Amino acid sequence: MRIPNITNYKPKEFAALLNVTVKTLQRWDREKILVANRTPTNRRYYTYDQYTCNSRASRKIRIRVRLFYMPGYRAGSRQMI
């Protein structure tokens, strides 16, 4: 996947980079897993550093994304299909 050379991302753009929905980003912001930056008008935005950082939060995100898209994985179940 080619990443555009921009520094700030709208939630929709950032969700596309992580292969999650905007609702998921909103939930992660609420649960303090991946906290969004805010504009003076209180709109969310994300930075390239948030995408590339190797913090504890980004490791959680990668694990969750990997589990969600794992072939044969059924959400809400610990069993493989």
Side-chain angles (χ1 to χ4, degrees), residues 11-71:
K12 186 175 181 179
E13 297 165 342
F14 202 70
L17 286 175
L18 295 178
N19 292 322
V20 297
T21 64
V22 174
K23 293 271 188 191
T24 300
L25 287 179
Q26 291 170 349
R27 183 170 43 84
W28 287 346
D29 186 32
R30 219 178 20 254
E31 295 173 359
K32 308 283 191 254
I33 295 170
L34 179 63
V35 179
N37 298 304
R38 299 289 181 140
T39 66
T41 57
N42 208 29
R43 293 185 181 266
R44 290 180 176 98
Y45 72 93
Y46 299 89
T47 63
Y48 184 74
D49 290 338
Q50 286 176 299
Y51 179 70
T52 58
C53 105
N54 289 321
S55 70
R56 186 172 162 211
S58 66
R59 281 195 295 273
K60 282 184 186 179
I61 291 167
R62 282 196 298 273
I63 290 168
R64 287 180 184 201
V65 169
R66 200 174 307 131
L67 283 176
F68 184 75
Y69 290 104
M70 201 167 144

Side-chain angles (χ1 to χ4, degrees), residues 67-81:
L67 283 176
F68 184 75
Y69 290 104
M70 201 167 144
Y73 179 77
R74 185 175 18 180
S77 171
R78 292 181 184 256
Q79 296 178 340
M80 299 297 270
I81 299 174

